[in-house]
Amino acid sequence: MTLPLVFVHGGATVFKEEYHASILEAVKEAAKTGLAALTKGGSALDAVESAIWILEETDLFTAGRGACENLDGEIEVDAMIMDGNRLDSGAVMAARDIIHPISLARFVLERTPVMQVAGNGASRLYDVMIKDGYRTEVEPRRTSNIPIASENDTVGCVAVDEHGRIAAGSSTSGWPGKLPGRIGDSPIIGSGVYANEIAGTSCTGKGEQILRVVMGRMAVAYIESGASVQDACDKAVRVLRDRTTGEGGLIMADKEGNLGFAFDTPHMPIAIAKDEKVSYSSMIPSLTEL
Ligand code: ASP
């Protein structure tokens, strides 16, 4: 298997057809950017942060510039990033008016002794991050109120560096009209995102259902018990379907660069970058094409 690699998704949902080409371009660009970070000597965390940053910067997903409003007309975003080998992570939840919560999640991971920061605390930490020069301020302009996806869509990434070190992450605003303060699976360790020294995953779909089965940790545990990466993905989506009303999907990679994905929604845009190029991308990925 080839290392390093970057595996990106743009959410398990239904996307309007006229946006498919732009969405595919965006996931390809994100995967390419993540891989460039790795080939320049960056870490798997650098790859995940930079890939998700690209997706947050577009207005195509309900994350970053495309984030949607909650019932009060406010924008609250969630993001998480996890370093599998350190078993350490950073997450921000219900953070207001931040375009790139993935960078703030990284700041939580790298520069604070805690793992999860929510609400006003996240906004205050964002100011500290900018003041410290950890990342530069980004104009909090949002460009889209057009619902491109049917309801929700989260962006996510798993990256494996050349030594087999794994990182994973996600970024979302949930769905339009969500309850203010609502937090889904995406920033919750083990549900929306999980990585250890064996494998990493980023999940997407109906957060309240993914939380019930702790889908990310479950999928990685299957690999620890001997399942292939693809079997682990299939089993995780099967459990989500059998035990909840959930719809969703996930992408996974293990430390050797074996890949898998599964989803039960009409679309789950993905892109894989390895061998210095985007080796695969699709709105409706199929194993036979991989
Ligand atoms: N899982 C996300 C949430 O519930 C949404 C998504 O993945 O599309 O917030």
Side-chain angles (χ1 to χ4, degrees):
M1 294 294 141
T2 315
L3 291 177
L5 67 86
V6 177
F7 193 172
V8 165
H9 75 76
T13 187
V14 186
F15 287 101
K16 287 188 179 155
E17 196 152 349
E18 65 260 42
Y19 294 101
H20 286 194
S22 327
I23 288 165
L24 262 188
E25 272 317 301
V27 289
K28 279 163 43 181
E29 184 60 30
K32 228 192 304 175
T33 302
L35 188 65
L38 284 172
T39 48
K40 273 189 265 162
S43 63
L45 284 173
D46 291 329
V48 168
E49 183 189 352
S50 60
I52 290 181
W53 199 97
I54 293 287
L55 297 173
E56 289 173 338
E57 194 59 18
T58 75
D59 57 5
L60 295 166
F61 308 96
T62 45
R65 294 202 188 277
C68 50
E69 294 176 355
N70 65 18
L71 262 186
D72 288 346
E74 306 276 2
I75 288 175
E76 293 179 334
V77 295
D78 306 325
M80 172 171 175
I81 190 163
M82 181 154 192
D83 180 336
N85 294 69
R86 276 196 280 160
L87 219 54
D88 203 358
S89 61
V92 292
M93 304 168 189
R96 294 237 176 119
D97 294 322
I98 295 172
I99 297 293
H100 295 294
I102 194 65
S103 297
L104 186 58
R106 176 99 185 256
F107 188 71
V108 172
L109 164 60
E110 304 279 25
R111 298 285 176 88
T112 78
V114 302
M115 287 164 93
Q116 308 182 141
V117 180
N120 288 342
S123 304
R124 281 177 22 211
L125 199 63
Y126 178 80
D127 295 338
V128 174
M129 177 179 88
I130 299 299
K131 203 162 147 253
D132 283 3
Y134 184 79
R135 295 291 180 270
T136 46
E137 174 91 82
V138 172
E139 155 77 43
R141 177 180 50 88
R142 290 176 203 272
T143 49
S144 169
N145 283 315
I146 316 159
I148 292 173
S150 63
E151 292 179 324
N152 53 296
D153 67 292
T154 289
V155 300
C157 178
V158 180
V160 189
D161 75 10
E162 61 176 321
H163 306 294
R165 294 179 67 96
I166 305 160
S170 73
S171 179
T172 192
S173 62
W175 65 79
K178 70 180 178 184
L179 198 67
R182 177 265 182 189
I183 293 159
D185 61 301
S186 305
I188 303 296
I189 186 168
S191 283
V193 173
Y194 192 72
N196 61 17
E197 74 290 0
I198 311 280
T201 184
S202 177
C203 306
T204 166
K206 300 274 185 278
E208 282 64 20
Q209 312 306 326
I210 292 172
L211 282 162
R212 276 164 218 256
V213 296
V214 197
M215 189 157 133
R217 184 64 186 101
M218 172 172 65
V220 171
Y222 287 141
I223 296 178
E224 289 164 0
S225 318
S228 71
V229 179
Q230 185 54 48
D231 283 350
C233 292
D234 290 336
K235 276 171 116 171
V237 169
R238 210 176 311 131
V239 171
L240 183 74
R241 274 216 88 83
D242 290 352
R243 301 299 309 275
T244 80
T245 59
E247 292 163 10
L250 74 168
I251 59 170
M252 282 192 102
D254 73 5
K255 63 176 192 274
E256 269 131 32
N258 297 300
L259 302 175
F261 61 85
F263 60 106
D264 64 357
T265 48
H267 306 129
M268 187 174 77
I270 66 167
I272 297 162
K274 55 185 186 181
D275 288 330
E276 292 170 36
K277 61 178 189 301
V278 174
S279 60
Y280 181 70
S281 66
S282 176
M283 287 299 292
I284 309 172
S286 147
L287 284 174
T288 53
E289 293 167 0
L290 202 62

